Amino acid sequence: MPTNLLKVYNQLLELNSLNEAQRTASLKGVFNRDISNNANFTFRRKKLNPTPAEGQDTMERLFRHLTTVITDKETKKREYDPSRSVRLHWLKYHLEEKKKTNMYVFSVEEPEGIRTYIWDKDEEYVIVLEPLRKKDEYYLLTAYHIEGKDKARNKMSKKWKRRLVDLK
């Protein structure tokens, strides 16, 4: 849907009336514009990279992480997630740090390593980055809308309380 390319933060993409092929084409248009064809795809002047995947196209893998959710943890099966997908265009807006209020940007030591979070508390939206060790760059891991009563919000609040002094 070409009108989805005109959507701005905090509007939602219109995807419900589209069949799967149309929906994918519309999302790919936004993804290509904001991410894969964006020569300045950075956060605080640090380049953003999709996570490497053996035998997979890294941009395709990133697209799947931004528009799907794991539905089976054992098989790691992913399915279309309307909640993530309708907010795909918010990613660029937040990475460019255009929103100034109720935004929390912080790093936390997690069991799997350091993670950097960009948390829009008003819209309950989170972007997760992983600092690269040997370069001044990030992996873009995922972005999602916080759902569920207070569980997810409390989880982000707890992370905020454990934040590192310096952003990694």
Side-chain angles (χ1 to χ4, degrees):
M1 177 175 261
T3 59
N4 279 335
L5 290 172
L6 303 175
K7 297 288 184 178
V8 296
Y9 172 85
N10 64 357
Q11 297 173 328
L12 300 177
L13 299 179
E14 296 175 25
L15 302 170
N16 290 340
S17 64
L18 306 178
N19 65 37
E20 186 177 350
Q22 293 168 324
R23 182 179 67 223
T24 300
S26 183
L27 289 168
K28 281 284 188 160
V30 172
F31 179 82
N32 289 338
R33 178 198 64 198
D34 292 351
I35 298 169
S36 65
N37 296 337
N38 181 356
N40 192 34
F41 189 55
T42 61
F43 175 66
R44 295 191 175 176
R45 294 189 217 137
K46 293 182 181 182
K47 183 180 174 189
L48 294 168
N49 302 288
T51 55
E54 183 97 16
Q56 290 181 358
D57 176 89
T58 55
M59 281 298 175
E60 184 60 32
R61 183 170 192 247
L62 179 58
F63 176 76
R64 286 185 37 81
H65 274 266
L66 296 173
T67 59
T68 64
V69 66
I70 292 177
T71 55
D72 184 344
K73 289 187 181 194
E74 277 187 34
T75 64
K76 298 193 181 203
K77 181 181 178 190
R78 300 186 75 89
E79 292 182 9
Y80 168 70
D81 182 8
S83 181
R84 288 178 184 221
S85 296
V86 297
R87 294 169 176 83
L88 181 61
H89 61 299
W90 292 12
L91 186 69
K92 181 180 177 199
Y93 182 86
H94 284 87
L95 291 170
E96 292 174 350
E97 296 188 279
K98 292 184 177 179
K99 184 172 186 247
K100 304 297 181 196
T101 59
N102 281 328
M103 291 298 301
Y104 298 84
V105 180
F106 59 98
S107 296
V108 175
E109 181 76 43
E110 303 279 13
E112 51 284 325
I114 294 174
R115 297 287 190 262
T116 297
Y117 294 91
I118 304 167
W119 176 26
D120 179 343
K121 193 169 183 181
D122 294 329
E123 294 292 338
E124 300 182 357
Y125 182 73
V126 177
I127 299 169
V128 185
L129 307 172
E130 179 182 322
L132 273 76
R133 291 189 179 110
K134 297 182 181 179
K135 295 182 182 178
D136 203 21
E137 299 178 3
Y138 287 108
Y139 283 130
L140 171 58
L141 300 181
T142 195
Y144 58 92
H145 182 247
I146 298 171
E147 296 179 334
K149 287 234 176 186
D150 293 323
K151 183 179 177 185
R153 280 186 292 279
N154 287 339
K155 189 174 182 181
M156 287 307 298
S157 293
K158 287 178 183 175
K159 287 181 187 297
W160 171 253
K161 289 176 184 171
R162 294 187 300 114
R163 69 188 180 275
L164 301 173
V165 174
D166 295 323
L167 188 69
K168 301 295 178 190

